[in-house]
Amino acid sequence: MSTTGRPQWWLLVAALVIGSLVTADLFGSGWLERLDLQVSEVATDWGLEESAAYPLFWVLTQVGGRGTILVVLAALVGYLAWRRRTWLPLVRVLTALALLTVTVYAIKFGTGRTAPNFPGSFFFHPDGASFPSGHVANAVLMWGVARWQAVEYGLPAPVQRVFWWLSVAGPVVTGVAMVSLDFHWVTDAVVGAAVGILLLGVVHALDAVVLSRWAGVRAGRSSA
């Protein structure tokens, strides 16, 4: 629980390779497209969107929702600014948020992949914005940043443990809920996770080279 969760090089390589292979397979109408269809048919048969279980599954999707995570991060950043007199956590959060927004939406609009419930029988359309899952990418990156701050600034062990679980289980819960409600294809969630891992690595690298060197922001940092 004591590590900041910086992705290891092999995990970054795996995320890049998997994300690239999945994307290439989808553009080539490969077997992953058929897998997506099969899973979507099962989710449709479940009919969760029209069932009493829908509110619960919708809440689970919000584990990766930007609004949910930003509320928690605002409290975390505010606490650290007040107690440790440092704005470095805020700089990290804003950097991660900017990278996430630009990268995810560039891929979404660049690919134009449609969601399972998009009208029509095509998988790619100018209005498509399903690929990759922004919720899953958001959960990986932003909960990862939250865990990083909790560990580096030596917050109590129970708090670190909560953020550890959110950084690990949050993306999984979000992805499963989105696919179960037929909001996203399985491959949307997989590539969303890959993008989130890569961006988390980028933010850590930027922090080592630029952010932590910004004059004055290191004040108040613990030795954790």
Side-chain angles (χ1 to χ4, degrees), residues 1-3 143 146-147 150-151 155-169:
M1 300 287 182
S2 61
T3 64
W143 286 132
R147 167 190 175 181
V151 172
L155 297 185
V159 175
Q160 293 188 33
R161 192 171 296 113
V162 167
F163 283 122
W164 185 91
W165 277 108
L166 285 170
S167 70
V168 174

Side-chain angles (χ1 to χ4, degrees), residues 44 50 103 108 196 221:
T44 300
E50 304 297 331
T103 303
K108 281 181 178 289
R221 180 188 294 189

